[in-house]
Amino acid sequence: MTNGNGAPQEGAPPQLNVLAQYTKDLSFENPNAPSSLQQQQQQPAINIQINVQANNVAENEFEVTLHIDGKAESAGKVLFSFDLAYAGVFRIVNVPQENLHPLVMIECPRLLFPFAREIIATSVRDGGFPPLMLDPVDFVGLYRQNIDRQAAAQAKPS
């Protein structure tokens, strides 16, 4: 609950509720099939990029989108690539304003990640490869990295 001006109500516990989770966009490509499905001489190089985006969609409600892009290459050829945008709508109440941004950008994607990981593993498996099990993500480190990058960009003279 808030006191009418958006500030947390005294004594009310913080709340984070998941209102919805969904796949916004999913693409899987196996451009060199069927030759890419043959036994490879060496382990493929796998490159993964993860980004988080958030939008305020209503009072106390945020849509958080976890973007995960990946590509596996071997001997200069793409074995497979994928692009997933997995999102959730979260209701957050009784959280001080200074804690809201880190909560949205760290905890919300942390809740979404296991579901996105399963979608990617299933897509890669259905594409003819062993399932790709992404390692857990340090969303605190990712958050700090993005804050540092933004601070450096603002400090840079034009």
Side-chain angles (χ1 to χ4, degrees), residues 39-50:
Q39 184 69 30
Q40 301 297 315
Q41 298 296 334
Q42 58 189 24
Q43 283 288 98
I46 298 177
N47 183 19
I48 307 288
Q49 297 290 320
I50 298 176

Side-chain angles (χ1 to χ4, degrees), residues 87-110:
V89 176
F90 298 86
R91 179 177 294 133
I92 302 172
V93 293
N94 300 326
V95 173
Q97 193 63 36
E98 65 271 11
N99 297 341
L100 189 59
H101 191 259
L103 180 69
V104 168
M105 300 302 285
I106 296 170
E107 285 306 314
C108 294
R110 190 186 326 234

Side-chain angles (χ1 to χ4, degrees), residues 116-130:
R117 181 180 191 238
E118 177 61 29
I119 291 167
I120 290 167
T122 300
S123 297
V124 171
R125 185 196 68 217
D126 290 350
F129 299 94

Side-chain angles (χ1 to χ4, degrees), residues 44-157:
I46 298 177
N47 183 19
I48 307 288
Q49 297 290 320
I50 298 176
N51 291 300
V52 178
Q53 191 175 33
N55 298 309
N56 189 231
V57 294
E59 184 180 358
N60 300 323
E61 293 182 8
F62 299 86
E63 179 190 51
V64 177
T65 305
L66 185 56
H67 296 273
I68 305 176
D69 301 319
K71 183 184 288 189
E73 296 178 291
S74 182
K77 288 189 174 182
V78 174
L79 299 177
F80 64 83
S81 64
F82 60 86
D83 181 7
L84 173 65
Y86 189 75
V89 176
F90 298 86
R91 179 177 294 133
I92 302 172
V93 293
N94 300 326
V95 173
Q97 193 63 36
E98 65 271 11
N99 297 341
L100 189 59
H101 191 259
L103 180 69
V104 168
M105 300 302 285
I106 296 170
E107 285 306 314
C108 294
R110 190 186 326 234
L111 292 170
L112 295 172
F113 181 75
F115 300 96
R117 181 180 191 238
E118 177 61 29
I119 291 167
I120 290 167
T122 300
S123 297
V124 171
R125 185 196 68 217
D126 290 350
F129 299 94
L132 177 62
M133 300 306 289
L134 298 178
D135 289 334
V137 175
D138 176 12
F139 286 103
V140 173
L142 188 62
Y143 178 77
R144 288 181 179 150
Q145 198 176 41
N146 286 335
I147 294 295
D148 291 347
R149 189 177 315 126
Q150 289 172 2
Q154 289 176 352
K156 195 176 194 180

